Amino acid sequence: LSLWFVGGIYLLPTFFRKTKNLMNEESLLLASLSFCFAMVVLASSAGFSAALGAFVMGSILAETPYAEKIEHLLGPLKNLFGAVFFVSVGMLIDPELLWKYAIPVVLLTLVVIIGKSVNVTLGSLASGQPLRQSVQSGMSMAQIGEFSFIIAGLGQSLGVTSDFLYPIAVGVSVITTFSTPFTMKLADPLYNVLERKLPRKWLEVLNRYSSGAQSITAKSQWQQAFRSYFSLVAINTALILGIILLSSLYLFPLMQQYVESRTIARLISVLITMMAMAPFLWALAVRRIDSVSYRMLLLDKKYNRGPLVVMSLIRVLLAILLVGFLLDRYYTVNVALAGAVGAIIIVLIIFSNRLKSFYHRMEDRFLQNFNEKELNETSPVVELLVPWDAHLASYEVVPELEFVGKTLEELHLREDIGVNIASITRGELVIHAPNRYERLYPGDHIEVIGTDVQLDDFSRLLQNSVLSTQERDQVKDISLQQILVDSYFPFRNKTIRESQIRELTKGLIVGIERNGERILNPESTTVFEYGDMVWMVGSKAAINSVVKKGK
């Protein structure tokens, strides 16, 4: 599945981009359907269901810039087959059988409506959703779809279920489908009743839990570095395993058909497979992890160098094991062990520079295809700002940097280095083309535009801007915090200006969550209401001392 997804994102957007001048609507429709049917054939050959193959290709096509056009072209076809499907299913409903099994149908209908409403609501609450959204989710999911009696019909045709199951599944599906709009309409009245009847303490606990589950928690450098490490290892390992399995299951039998000598066929298969694996082996074993947190950990040689060296050795050992796994499928264990070490030496040392260049070209193409649609839709400002000889790079503002809290005007990045900050992502807030008064805070993700040389200079600036231990202690207390407006909140029912919370805490209110909605950069006239979740940037000690005065 990983191989299909990565290969599809790597190839299909490029294919559509190269052939866009040759394709009219008819050609695009036929090409899209052909890709879907081809993936269905591949999935079926691999032992998966046809539906999974179609779903995977649909997911890949959805990531291309032509997704909306393909969806528009396929709309009439989807509606036609949808109508045929539901009409054919409706013709299979036998009212006499529904009446015969009326009691089980009614009982199961009640079980579905009540059971799914309650359990989906509880599940939503457990996942951290507010009470209102949880009730709405539960009341909206109180049905079983048409897929249920498709499965029931399949079980009946295969003789693994009793005949009475199919009409019951059809009856429950039809009744719950018609009842869903009414249950959805009852969601808000039911929420109002629960809000009045539940104890106030319970509501406060639910609000705190919901806000805590949805909070933007700061991650340590080790957590961030390990996430980058795991992503690199997992993705390349999956690709290498996919290539090995494709080689042993398909390439080697194909070689045996055209090459008389089994030894030569085996050798050719291994060489072709090693050539296909080589870029991913280099990335798995050698490639430097592109993470600011990882580089920051390398600076602390006393405590972090040992664990980081062990992590690097694990990558090399994993690469050797994967090469050994390939050779073991063609040769004996001893040959596999010896050949694995030799192959790794050849791949990682002799051809390291070539593989590095080739891998980065593939990675850049994949990321360009994967992000092309998102950039076109959500970042038109960034796209217009990118010059021909420059590109975007992403960085994270870690708390240890000395320029945390400074404005862009104070940093002089454009004047000193030549880079521009195109956007700042702060939690759910995305600031495009930030002005010179915008500040950088811990946890911000910034998109920086510049040439390769300028971006290298900016990366070195990040590495050289780590605070000393004394300086780090002074700014360690600055963080993004959440404050629940409950019955103890001292400024409840007051405006931000009247409360003077900004002046008292020396902090900045960046947002308020209210009834599932988010108010970004609220005005000073905004009133603190019961149940609000206030997001502030400032000193944790100062904020806590002011807020706790009401308790």
Side-chain angles (χ1 to χ4, degrees):
L1 290 176
S2 300
L3 196 65
W4 288 345
F5 181 76
V6 174
I9 294 297
Y10 182 78
L11 296 175
L12 284 189
T14 303
F15 169 79
F16 284 122
R17 192 161 48 244
K18 297 292 185 182
T19 60
K20 65 179 181 179
N21 295 327
L22 303 176
M23 280 196 178
N24 54 21
E25 292 187 348
E26 180 182 359
S27 302
L28 182 60
L29 173 64
L30 292 176
S32 304
L33 289 175
S34 300
F35 285 131
C36 286
F37 288 133
M39 184 59 76
V40 167
V41 173
L42 285 175
S44 301
S45 301
F48 296 103
S49 67
L52 178 63
F55 173 77
V56 170
M57 182 52 65
S59 301
I60 295 173
L61 292 176
E63 295 298 331
T64 66
Y66 304 95
E68 286 75 14
K69 190 172 183 180
I70 294 173
E71 183 179 1
H72 173 73
L73 293 175
L74 286 173
L77 195 65
K78 179 192 71 173
N79 294 335
L80 172 62
F81 283 103
V84 171
F85 168 77
F86 283 107
V87 169
S88 61
V89 168
M91 294 175 65
L92 295 176
I93 298 176
D94 189 348
E96 183 178 353
L97 289 177
L98 291 180
W99 179 254
K100 179 180 179 181
Y101 299 108
I103 295 178
V105 168
V106 172
L107 290 176
L108 288 178
T109 299
L110 294 175
V111 169
V112 169
I113 294 177
I114 298 174
K116 292 196 69 175
S117 298
V118 172
N119 286 286
V120 171
T121 299
L122 295 176
S124 298
L125 287 173
S127 67
Q129 298 301 315
L131 179 60
R132 180 188 293 273
Q133 280 81 352
S134 299
V135 173
Q136 290 173 343
S137 300
M139 301 299 282
S140 301
M141 297 290 291
Q143 79 284 129
I144 58 173
E146 71 282 351
F147 205 72
S148 58
F149 55 83
I150 293 177
I151 298 300
L154 181 62
Q156 183 179 3
S157 63
L158 295 176
V160 295
T161 61
S162 302
D163 294 339
F164 74 90
L165 184 61
Y166 180 78
I168 291 178
V170 172
V172 174
S173 176
V174 170
I175 295 175
T176 55
T177 299
F178 279 107
S179 65
T180 297
F182 301 100
T183 57
M184 292 173 65
K185 188 176 180 180
L186 293 174
D188 283 338
L190 178 59
Y191 166 74
N192 294 331
V193 172
L194 291 175
E195 191 178 32
R196 290 195 305 269
K197 298 296 184 181
L198 289 177
R200 181 63 60 182
K201 290 184 178 180
W202 289 20
L203 294 175
E204 291 182 0
V205 170
L206 288 176
N207 287 333
R208 288 196 185 94
Y209 177 76
S210 173
S211 301
Q214 299 181 37
S215 63
I216 307 169
T217 55
K219 296 181 179 178
S220 67
Q221 287 184 345
W222 271 109
Q223 288 176 311
Q224 296 168 2
F226 183 76
R227 181 177 180 180
S228 302
Y229 175 89
F230 180 78
S231 299
L232 177 68
V233 171
I235 292 174
N236 287 285
T237 300
L239 292 174
I240 293 171
L241 286 174
I243 294 173
I244 293 174
L245 294 176
L246 288 175
S247 170
S248 59
L249 296 176
Y250 299 101
L251 179 61
F252 182 55
L254 183 64
M255 288 293 105
Q256 287 182 307
Q257 295 179 6
Y258 295 97
V259 180
E260 295 182 0
S261 174
R262 182 180 176 86
T263 302
I264 297 178
R266 183 186 294 115
L267 180 62
I268 293 175
S269 300
V270 170
L271 291 176
I272 294 176
T273 308
M274 282 297 302
M275 291 176 61
M277 290 168 49
F280 308 108
L281 282 173
W282 174 86
L284 175 62
V286 177
R287 187 196 176 203
R288 186 179 64 181
I289 297 177
D290 188 15
S291 169
V292 175
S293 299
Y294 193 86
R295 292 195 292 270
M296 294 298 180
L297 291 172
L298 282 175
L299 296 175
D300 191 352
K301 299 180 181 179
K302 183 177 181 181
Y303 298 105
N304 298 328
R305 181 57 62 91
L308 293 176
V309 169
V310 173
M311 292 169 64
S312 299
L313 290 176
I314 291 175
R315 292 168 56 189
V316 175
L317 291 175
L318 182 58
I320 294 175
L321 289 175
L322 289 172
V323 176
F325 175 64
L326 166 66
L327 298 177
D328 182 61
R329 300 181 74 87
Y330 292 95
Y331 300 101
T332 62
V333 176
N334 294 331
V335 174
L337 292 176
V341 177
I344 287 296
I345 294 175
I346 294 174
V347 169
L348 302 184
I349 297 179
I350 299 179
F351 297 105
S352 180
N353 291 331
R354 294 183 180 180
L355 292 174
K356 175 182 178 181
S357 176
F358 183 69
Y359 181 85
H360 281 306
R361 286 201 302 271
M362 288 196 305
E363 186 180 50
D364 291 340
R365 171 66 62 83
F366 175 83
L367 293 176
Q368 178 186 357
N369 292 343
F370 186 71
N371 297 321
E372 183 178 8
K373 179 184 175 183
E374 182 178 355
L375 289 176
N376 290 341
E377 291 179 350
T378 63
S379 303
V381 177
V382 174
E383 185 180 8
L384 292 174
L385 288 174
V386 179
W388 290 107
D389 58 344
H391 58 272
L392 283 170
S394 298
Y395 299 90
E396 181 181 357
V397 180
V398 296
E400 291 79 8
L401 296 177
E402 64 178 3
F403 53 70
V404 166
K406 293 184 178 180
T407 64
L408 300 185
E409 184 179 25
E410 295 171 341
L411 296 179
H412 300 290
L413 295 178
R414 181 184 299 176
E415 294 80 6
D416 296 342
I417 302 178
V419 298
N420 293 282
I421 295 183
S423 67
I424 301 175
T425 302
R426 184 173 299 145
E428 297 292 333
L429 173 65
V430 180
I431 305 172
H432 295 299
N435 59 46
R436 58 182 179 175
Y437 302 111
E438 192 64 51
R439 299 180 184 271
L440 296 181
Y441 295 108
D444 285 354
H445 291 266
I446 57 177
E447 296 284 341
V448 181
I449 301 175
T451 63
D452 291 334
V453 176
Q454 292 169 344
L455 292 175
D456 287 339
D457 292 339
F458 183 72
S459 298
R460 283 194 292 271
L461 173 65
L462 291 179
Q463 296 180 12
N464 297 330
S465 299
V466 179
L467 297 173
S468 63
T469 303
Q470 181 179 1
E471 294 171 325
R472 194 179 304 172
D473 291 338
Q474 294 176 357
V475 299
K476 187 184 296 184
D477 199 34
I478 302 298
S479 61
L480 180 64
Q481 300 180 65
Q482 53 182 0
I483 306 168
L484 177 64
V485 179
D486 54 15
S487 55
Y488 300 104
F489 187 71
F491 309 119
R492 187 159 57 99
N493 299 327
K494 290 185 178 181
T495 64
I496 296 176
R497 180 182 301 167
E498 293 171 346
S499 67
Q500 296 185 338
I501 190 173
R502 292 172 174 171
E503 294 77 11
L504 294 172
T505 61
K506 306 298 183 184
L508 176 66
I509 298 178
V510 296
I512 296 177
E513 294 182 21
R514 179 177 296 166
N515 296 327
E517 298 180 357
R518 294 183 176 179
I519 305 172
L520 300 178
N521 299 320
E523 301 289 339
S524 59
T525 55
T526 303
V527 178
F528 293 117
E529 297 181 2
Y530 181 86
D532 285 352
M533 182 58 62
V534 181
W535 290 90
M536 289 194 66
V537 173
S539 170
K540 183 177 181 180
I543 294 174
N544 288 338
S545 64
V546 172
V547 173
K548 288 182 179 179
K549 287 182 180 180
K551 296 186 178 181

